[in-house]
Amino acid sequence: SQQGEEDPQALSIQEGENATMNCSYKTSINNLQWYRQNSGRGLVHLILIRSNEREKHSGRLRVTLDTSKKSSSLLITASRAADTASYFCATDAGQGGKLIFGQGTELSVKP
Amino acid sequence: DTAVSQTPKYLVTQMGNDKSIKCEQNLGHDTMYWYKQDSKKFLKIMFSYNNKELIINETVPNRFSPKSPDKAHLNLHINSLELGDSAVYFCASSQLSSGIEQFFGPGTRLTVL
């Protein structure tokens, strides 16, 4: 199966709730990145966490990384309708910029 | 003042044709990439260039040929288009070749009939 598997594949929540997405990968990495893709648009970088970091925050985003379990999670707190998008994790193993993407989680935030 | 731009945004063509997609970045980045996103939203790297030099060439049919005339441009030429080439193609760039975020263009939706 592909590197960077995410779950759930789809998540539907109400505005104000928290959304958690998980990502698992198979090989050693230098860093793991999360991207957002709005429908019909390109990917936008959200946050990067290096292999020697365990947790990182950026605004309403919180990312954790457990290299022993080869997994990461993205938490979006106090979600808004504008957070509706697909979220992808991507691993960077230091192979000349090659990012390996998960299949993504489709988040729907209902107002 | 778009950071990474691609043209065209939509491309509809017949099987067997040859087409090109252009990409330009005005961020001063050294590395540029092409990705393919299929109908299930799975995103896979195809090529990357660093300062006009090819550094990643994934298992892509040789009908696909990237060309980088300078470090701000990376074009993708596709010969003898096939139905399976239908996808969204994204260009991206980054300052370094690894360990840093990538900036994506808006995508080119290619439909082969």
Side-chain angles (χ1 to χ4, degrees):
Chain A
S1 59
Q2 299 293 339
Q3 176 96 325
E5 297 183 1
E6 296 183 58
D7 79 273
Q9 289 194 0
L11 180 61
S12 182
I13 59 174
Q14 294 293 132
E15 222 171 13
E17 293 179 342
N18 295 342
T20 300
M21 290 159 263
N22 302 297
C23 168
S24 62
Y25 57 93
K26 296 187 187 305
T27 62
S28 296
I29 60 171
N30 283 0
N31 66 76
L32 185 143
Q33 305 178 30
W34 286 90
Y35 288 81
R36 184 187 74 228
Q37 183 180 31
N38 288 84
S39 181
R41 310 288 280 272
L43 280 76
V44 174
H45 181 265
L46 295 175
I47 197 165
L48 181 154
I49 186 164
R50 302 196 187 282
S51 59
N52 61 354
E53 297 176 309
R54 292 295 166 257
E55 188 171 312
K56 205 160 182 182
H57 297 254
S58 176
R60 294 183 297 112
L61 305 180
R62 173 178 169 254
V63 168
T64 63
L65 179 65
D66 186 335
T67 52
S68 66
K69 293 181 179 177
K70 292 188 168 56
S71 67
S72 173
S73 68
L74 170 68
L75 168 67
I76 304 174
T77 59
S79 63
R80 305 167 182 167
D83 294 329
T84 294
S86 293
Y87 291 82
F88 295 88
C89 68
T91 54
D92 180 354
Q95 297 171 355
K98 177 178 174 179
L99 290 182
I100 298 178
F101 283 83
Q103 78 269 28
T105 293
E106 280 201 34
L107 174 65
S108 173
V109 182
K110 300 186 188 314
Chain B
D1 56 345
T2 306
V4 182
S5 59
Q6 296 178 227
T7 53
K9 187 166 174 61
Y10 299 97
L11 187 52
V12 181
T13 188
Q14 299 287 332
M15 256 192 330
N17 284 352
D18 303 339
K19 290 292 177 187
S20 292
I21 306 172
K22 294 186 176 182
C23 178
E24 176 181 3
Q25 54 94 4
N26 63 6
L27 298 166
H29 288 168
D30 289 331
T31 307
M32 295 184 72
Y33 313 82
W34 276 110
Y35 288 87
K36 177 181 180 180
Q37 187 174 45
D38 64 22
S39 58
K40 295 183 179 177
K41 292 197 172 181
F42 178 62
L43 201 71
K44 187 170 163 53
I45 191 165
M46 300 172 70
F47 302 102
S48 80
Y49 271 73
N50 180 267
N51 262 320
K52 301 194 299 175
E53 183 181 339
L54 180 68
I55 54 173
I56 292 176
N57 184 349
E58 287 294 285
T59 310
V60 176
N62 58 15
R63 297 182 296 102
F64 290 78
S65 52
K67 286 197 170 45
S68 182
D70 55 62
K71 74 173 194 176
H73 296 84
L74 180 62
N75 303 323
L76 183 64
H77 188 76
I78 316 170
N79 289 329
S80 303
L81 278 155
E82 300 177 356
L83 294 176
D85 298 331
S86 295
V88 182
Y89 293 84
F90 287 99
C91 176
S93 72
S94 63
Q95 180 58 47
L96 303 171
S97 60
S98 187
I100 201 163
E101 65 182 291
Q102 295 181 13
F103 291 77
F104 282 75
T108 295
R109 181 173 292 278
L110 171 66
T111 302
V112 183
L113 303 175

